Amino acid sequence: MFVREKTINGYTYLYLVKNVREGKRTRQQIIKNLGRKDAVLANGDLDRLLASIGRFSERAAILSRIEAGDTSGLRCRRIGPPLLFGRLWEETGCRAVIEQALAPRGFEFPVERAIFTAVLHRIMVSGSDRACEQWMDDYDIPGADDLSLHHFYRAMAWLGEALPEDRQAHATPFAPRTVKDEIEEALFDRGRDLFTDLSVVFMDTTSLSFTGAGGETLGRRGHSKDHRPDLNQMILAVVIDGDGRPICSEMAPGNTADVTVLLPIIDRLRHRFAIGRVCVVADRGMIAEATITALEERGLEYVLGVRERTDKRVRDHVLDDPTPFTPLLVERAQGETQLFAKEVRVDGRRYIVCRNEAEAEKQRRDRQAIIEGLEKQLAKGDKALVGNSAYRRYIRKPRRQGDDGPEEATEPVFEIDAGKLAEEARYDGVFVLRTNARISPLQAMLRYRDLLQVEAVFRTAKALMHTHPIYHSSDAAIRGHVFCSFLALVLRKDLQARCEAAGLKPEWGEVLRDLDRLQEVTWDTGPRTLILRTPVAGVTGALFQAARVALPPNVREPKA
C-alpha cells in the first residue's frame, strides 16, 4: 500500500493505492482519493495520516518483539485503577482532607500517597499491607514509587493515632477519638449542602478476626460472625445515611455486644455531625429493651425490627390481634409489590405488622419442598436425617414402637410434627416493626425496607472490610488499616452514584477486570522512549466518561 501522484488537467492529485493480482498480472487499485496535492499538504491531512500510521507501526513493533520473546527495554504497568479512582480520590475530598490533617506533622515520606495506595489495594484485591507493597509494583500510581512496607505501617499508625486529651470530647466508652475520626468529620463537612439530611441513619456491625493478639485492647474473644471463635477479633460498625453513603466507622473490642454499641454511637453521631432529629432504623440483633428505653429517654425516634418468634408479647398478642390488614401497593424498580399492614398497640407500645404475599408464597413452597424430602427419608427409615437442620425443625420428638400397645420395641419412630408446621406457617411473609415515630404504617415499612436495601451496601462494605490477614500489633495501626477499607467504600459508593447518573449498571467484578486491562507499555529504544496505551476494553470507556477522566493518548513520549 502506498501513495501515488497523478496529474489531471494541470492539477496533481494524491491517491492511496495498493497492488492486487489478477491471474498472472498485477495492477494498482485505488483505495482512497486523498485530494489535490497542494490542498492536502496545506491542511496537514497527509502529516496526520502518516503520524497515525506511525503509531500503529510502533505498537506493531512492540507486539512483534513481545511475541518473539524479546522484552528488553519494555516495561508494562496498569493505569486504569489509579486514573479512575485517583480522580474520585480528588473529587470526594479525600486527598485534600488528609493533606490538611497532615499539615502540622513533619513526615519525611508522602503519607497521603501511602494511604491512597492502600485504599486502591483494598478496592482491587484487598489483603495485608505486606501484600500491598508487592502489588503496587504492577500499577502506575503517581508519587508512590519510593514507598516501602515501613511507610505503610507508619501511615496506618498515624490514621489510628489517639487525639490529645483536649480533643477527646464525646469519645465512645470502647474507643478514643483518633485522627481518622477527624478525617470522617471533615469529609462529611465537605459534602454537606442544604439538602444533606442525616435524620435517618442505618448501622450494622461485623467482626474481624486476627491471626495474632489484635492490639492492646481491640483483640478479644467474642461472638464471631465469620465463624472463627478460636481467634481474637474486633467489632466494626459502619454508619450509612438514607442514600447508602458511608458516614463513619466505629471500632470496638471483640467482646462488645451489638446491643451495647448502638447507643454510644448514636450519641456520638449527634455531636460529631450536628444532627438534630434522628430516626434510628435497625435490625433485630441491635435491639434490647434497655436500648429502646434509652432511645426514648433521649427523645429519639426509631423503627426497629422485632423477633417475632422469641418475643412473647409479639407472639401471643400482636400476631393474634383481630384488626384487619390494610392492602398497600408499593412501587419498586423491579415492579409493584403487594403488601398488607396493620397497626397494633399492646401495653402502650406501637407495632406495625406487615405481610408480603409474594414472600409468604415463596416460604410456603420452600417448606413444602423440605417436607416432601423429609417424607422420602422417613419412608427409608433413615435416622441420620435428624442431623439435617432443615428437617429437624419439623420432626416430633421420637417415640418408641409399642408405646401404645403391649408389644415393646426399642426402635425409635420419627414423625412429622403437624403442630410445628402450623406454627411455622403462621410467620410466612410476616415481619413486625416496633416504632415510636409519628409516621404511617406505610412510611415505617418503607424505612425498614430501605434498611434491607442498605444491607446490600453493608455486604459490599464487609467484603472490603475483611482485610485479612492483619499483621499489625498495635491498636492504632489496626484502626488505620481498617479505616483504609472504609475509604475504599467511600470511593466505591461515589463511583456507583456516577454510574447510576450515567445510566450504567456494571457488575463490580467486571469493573475491576476491565480496569486492570488498561495498561501502558514503556519502550526504551535507547535514543527514544515511547509509551503506548492498550486499547480500551469492556466498560472502562463508559466508567471514565462517567467520572470525567480523560484517557491518555495511544502513543506518547514521557514528560521531561
Side-chain angles (χ1 to χ4, degrees), residues 164-406:
E165 286 297 327
D166 59 347
R167 289 151 66 186
Q168 286 292 334
H170 310 298
T172 60
F174 39 76
R177 278 180 55 79
T178 62
V179 171
K180 71 97 182 168
D181 294 324
E182 292 191 336
I183 292 175
E184 289 171 343
E185 292 154 12
L187 285 175
F188 180 78
D189 286 339
R190 284 181 66 94
R192 185 193 292 268
D193 56 30
L194 293 175
F195 304 101
T196 300
D197 180 20
L198 274 187
S199 62
V200 179
V201 294
F202 303 88
M203 190 183 79
D204 199 6
T205 62
T206 189
S207 59
L208 299 179
S209 57
F210 301 99
T211 52
E216 302 90 352
T217 64
L218 287 174
R220 295 291 184 270
R221 297 291 175 89
H223 173 65
S224 176
K225 297 184 180 181
D226 53 2
H227 309 294
R228 290 303 307 267
D230 56 313
L231 299 178
N232 282 351
Q233 65 175 21
M234 64 178 287
I235 300 299
L236 172 67
V238 179
V239 180
I240 294 177
D241 69 8
D243 295 322
R245 292 173 298 192
I247 300 300
C248 64
S249 59
E250 300 285 353
M251 304 170 205
N255 57 358
T256 308
D258 280 352
V259 294
T260 64
V261 169
L262 180 62
L263 281 175
I265 292 180
I266 293 300
D267 288 339
R268 194 177 182 200
L269 276 175
R270 300 175 72 184
H271 294 287
R272 291 182 68 188
F273 304 110
I275 306 172
R277 177 176 173 269
V278 177
C279 181
V280 180
V281 184
D283 212 342
R284 302 166 175 83
M286 288 285 180
I287 303 305
E289 195 61 38
T291 305
I292 295 176
T293 301
L295 289 173
E296 293 174 343
E297 289 174 351
R298 288 164 169 77
L300 302 178
E301 296 181 345
Y302 56 80
V303 178
L304 308 175
V306 175
R307 299 182 186 273
E308 297 90 1
R309 291 171 171 80
T310 58
D311 189 315
K312 189 175 187 303
R313 183 182 291 105
V314 173
R315 188 179 65 245
D316 297 341
H317 300 286
V318 175
L319 292 180
D320 287 339
D321 186 89
T323 305
F325 282 92
T326 300
L328 301 170
L329 196 63
V330 180
E331 293 185 0
R332 305 178 63 184
Q334 302 89 338
E336 296 179 339
T337 300
Q338 180 65 65
L339 301 175
F340 295 86
K342 65 179 178 180
E343 180 177 331
V344 178
R345 292 186 180 269
V346 177
D347 298 335
R349 300 169 181 177
R350 185 188 183 205
Y351 295 91
I352 308 296
V353 184
C354 316
R355 179 179 173 85
N356 185 322
E357 286 298 323
E359 185 64 23
E361 178 59 23
K362 178 181 180 300
Q363 292 174 0
R364 187 195 66 79
R365 290 196 305 268
D366 292 345
R367 184 173 57 255
Q368 184 60 35
I370 293 174
I371 296 304
E372 290 174 358
L374 176 56
E375 289 173 341
K376 293 178 181 179
Q377 291 293 333
L378 288 174
K380 299 177 183 178
D382 186 1
K383 298 187 295 295
L385 58 84
V386 296
N388 186 312
S389 59
Y391 290 157
R392 189 169 60 244
R393 63 192 301 185
Y394 301 122
I395 295 177
R396 179 182 297 172
K397 184 178 180 180
R399 64 181 178 83
R400 296 189 179 277
Q401 291 181 354
D403 287 352
D404 298 329

